[in-house]
Amino acid sequence: MKSTALVRVAVIIFSILGLSLEAPTAKLQTEHTLAGEWLVTSSPINGQTASPKGVSLGFPDRDMVFEQQGDIRIGVVLREDVGHDVRPLGVWRVNGDQFSTTFQLWCPNEDGPCGSIVMRGRFVREDRISGTMTAFFDVFDDSTPTGYDSWTFSFVGNRTAAAASGGSN
Amino acid sequence: MNFLAAYFRNHLARALTVVVVVLAAASTAFSGNELAGRWTLTITFPDGPGSTTTRTQTVTLEVFPRGESLHGRANLTDGAGKRYGATWRQVGKRVSIAYELPCSGDTQCASLILQGRVKGGGIVIKKGSVIVVWDTPNNRNPALFDTSNGTFRGDRIE
């Protein structure tokens, strides 16, 4: 009778220890980060070649670098196809396997419309992402809920380099 | 006649001096419209997708100079002292500031894009508009996610 009780207590203790030891591992496996370098390819949804108000974007491939320093998460698009100094800036966050990042468009021509990009996606794998992105242009469009001209894309991305040392925490 | 001519010449010279001073002052004020510096932003937007209840978030925005770039970085600090990153661009008086609203127990995650005009010689942004993109998918919305609109005001601290 006593030995049965001891076995039960031992099983309970090992179960608790097992859970507490496994929990951090499980948490580590589900913690994703965008920190690092990604090659992201986008294509307009429904084959639209311009926004409803006729605004267009450039080359579909984007070399994107994401960094994290404490609570600050910054992203940069390396537009070396346009110029070495052309580096649109963005911000990002991750929630489980979902992520969101928002960039400002690079608009050297003050006469033309500018805008911002919101990307929403998920980690297919730790080194692969997919999702949709929406460009919100500074052009009024009363047919959209926001009142701004918008244009949607789908995208896939592959990690080409891990985060620099200390870049992610 | 000579007296009258001298009188008008004298007044004309004074008037021209005043015009030059006013133009110089206006030029100085315009160059002060750059967003860089510290601001208090008061942002009002719905507390969730489709909600008619709004909430007002007051944050401190520390805007770093953008140098030769078209874009710059900024840090937001909310009322609870939580800090997160932002990015900004500016053309003339028109500014756009974007940041990610982090997920927390009492706050729904969202991306916020603020647009406004720096006025008053660079000390205020009045009646700015806000695009809120929530995390909830919505195939009926052209953005593919729920969106809302809000407003904001900015007051320069330094």
Side-chain angles (χ1 to χ4, degrees):
Chain A
M1 198 62 180
K2 272 186 182 176
S3 61
T4 310
L6 274 174
V7 168
R8 281 182 184 167
V9 170
V11 167
I12 290 168
I13 289 170
F14 279 116
S15 300
I16 292 168
L17 280 174
L19 281 176
S20 63
L21 289 172
E22 281 176 14
T25 311
K27 191 181 174 189
L28 282 175
Q29 284 172 348
T30 56
E31 274 187 1
H32 296 283
T33 178
L34 278 178
E37 187 169 350
W38 298 79
L39 182 63
V40 176
T41 304
S42 60
S43 54
I45 291 174
N46 299 329
Q48 290 176 300
T49 55
S51 75
K53 293 294 181 184
V55 184
S56 187
L57 294 173
F59 204 58
D61 293 331
R62 293 286 183 270
D63 194 4
M64 307 175 84
V65 178
F66 295 93
E67 295 175 10
Q68 181 171 354
Q69 295 166 352
D71 293 333
I72 307 298
R73 298 176 186 86
I74 293 290
V76 180
V77 183
L78 307 177
R79 292 298 311 273
E80 294 190 352
D81 54 311
V82 179
H84 289 293
D85 299 332
V86 179
R87 295 187 160 208
L89 279 176
V91 287
W92 59 280
R93 62 180 158 84
V94 170
N95 187 30
D97 67 345
Q98 312 282 318
F99 70 86
S100 174
T101 179
T102 303
F103 278 83
Q104 298 284 19
L105 288 174
W106 189 270
C107 310
N109 180 6
E110 295 186 8
D111 299 328
C114 202
S116 309
I117 301 277
V118 176
M119 298 172 70
R120 290 287 160 77
R122 68 180 187 91
F123 289 85
V124 180
R125 296 192 310 252
E126 189 51 39
D127 59 353
R128 187 171 173 82
I129 53 175
S130 69
T132 60
M133 69 183 208
T134 302
F136 293 92
F137 296 109
D138 303 347
V139 177
F140 293 110
D141 181 351
D142 56 14
S143 70
T144 66
T146 59
Y148 290 94
D149 185 26
S150 52
W151 189 18
T152 49
F153 298 76
S154 61
F155 70 84
V156 292
N158 290 296
R159 191 191 291 273
T160 55
S165 177
S168 173
N169 51 7
Chain B
M1 283 297 278
N2 283 342
F3 170 76
L4 277 177
Y7 178 82
F8 281 115
R9 266 202 305 272
N10 192 20
H11 276 69
L12 187 62
R14 282 184 186 173
L16 283 172
T17 304
V18 169
V19 167
V20 167
V21 168
V22 167
L23 285 175
S27 171
T28 305
F30 185 74
S31 65
N33 283 326
E34 182 82 359
L35 189 68
R38 278 167 59 84
W39 293 77
T40 295
L41 301 185
T42 307
I43 308 160
T44 301
F45 57 99
D47 60 6
S51 174
T52 53
T53 307
T54 59
R55 62 174 149 158
T56 298
Q57 183 184 42
T58 302
V59 300
T60 302
L61 182 72
E62 186 177 5
V63 184
F64 302 111
R66 55 184 174 161
E68 298 297 315
S69 176
L70 294 180
H71 293 173
R73 290 172 58 166
N75 287 344
L76 265 99
T77 307
D78 65 16
K82 189 164 176 57
R83 200 171 63 124
Y84 26 97
T87 179
W88 65 282
R89 60 179 161 83
Q90 181 170 5
V91 175
K93 294 181 179 180
R94 285 184 297 151
V95 293
S96 174
I97 304 157
Y99 68 98
E100 295 285 337
L101 193 64
C103 314
S104 67
D106 58 345
T107 309
Q108 293 212 40
C109 324
S111 307
L112 274 73
I113 302 166
L114 283 58
Q115 295 177 326
R117 285 176 173 270
V118 182
K119 293 186 173 177
I123 61 165
V124 68
I125 302 170
K126 290 179 182 173
K127 297 179 182 173
S129 62
V130 181
I131 300 172
V132 185
V133 184
W134 303 101
D135 277 17
T136 45
N138 182 348
N139 284 331
R140 287 176 298 175
N141 190 309
L144 302 178
F145 286 85
D146 281 320
T147 57
S148 299
N149 288 84
T151 58
F152 82 100
R153 176 191 168 93
D155 294 284
R156 187 184 288 279
I157 303 169
E158 57 187 56

